[in-house]
Amino acid sequence: MKKGTVFIENDSYFPTEQQVMLNFQVHNLNQTMEHLEQISVLLAKKKEISEFGKFILNEVPEGRLVELWEK
């Protein structure tokens, strides 16, 4: 089982009204982004690259943010 990450209450990484954010690992983030664009899924942030991998946030129809990342 993979561990979750706990954010402090006033962290600005995702909206405070959203208590939980789903995070899915993908094999190829660029291909995933192209697919999401083709089906009109909006990205909430540009791609970020860090020592942990590549990340994007997208918004599902209910307004919640979901994070996708490539290790």
Side-chain angles (χ1 to χ4, degrees):
M1 178 179 280
K2 295 192 179 209
K3 296 179 183 179
T5 300
V6 178
F7 291 89
I8 58 174
E9 187 174 340
N10 61 351
D11 192 295
S12 63
Y13 193 70
F14 61 96
T16 55
E17 63 273 2
Q18 183 173 326
Q19 294 180 345
V20 175
M21 181 174 58
L22 295 177
N23 178 300
F24 295 100
Q25 186 175 1
V26 298
H27 292 287
N28 187 311
L29 190 61
N30 289 332
Q31 284 181 345
T32 303
M33 289 171 64
E34 288 174 16
H35 176 72
L36 293 173
E37 187 177 284
Q38 289 174 356
I39 61 172
S40 301
V41 174
L42 300 175
L43 296 181
K45 275 187 172 179
K46 289 196 275 184
K47 180 169 61 173
E48 294 181 15
I49 300 173
S50 76
E51 71 266 17
F52 304 109
K54 301 173 190 173
F55 300 85
I56 59 169
L57 286 176
N58 68 304
E59 191 172 329
V60 296
E62 297 81 21
R64 303 271 185 217
L65 296 177
V66 175
E67 183 173 64
L68 303 176
W69 71 286
E70 176 187 328
K71 209 173 195 184

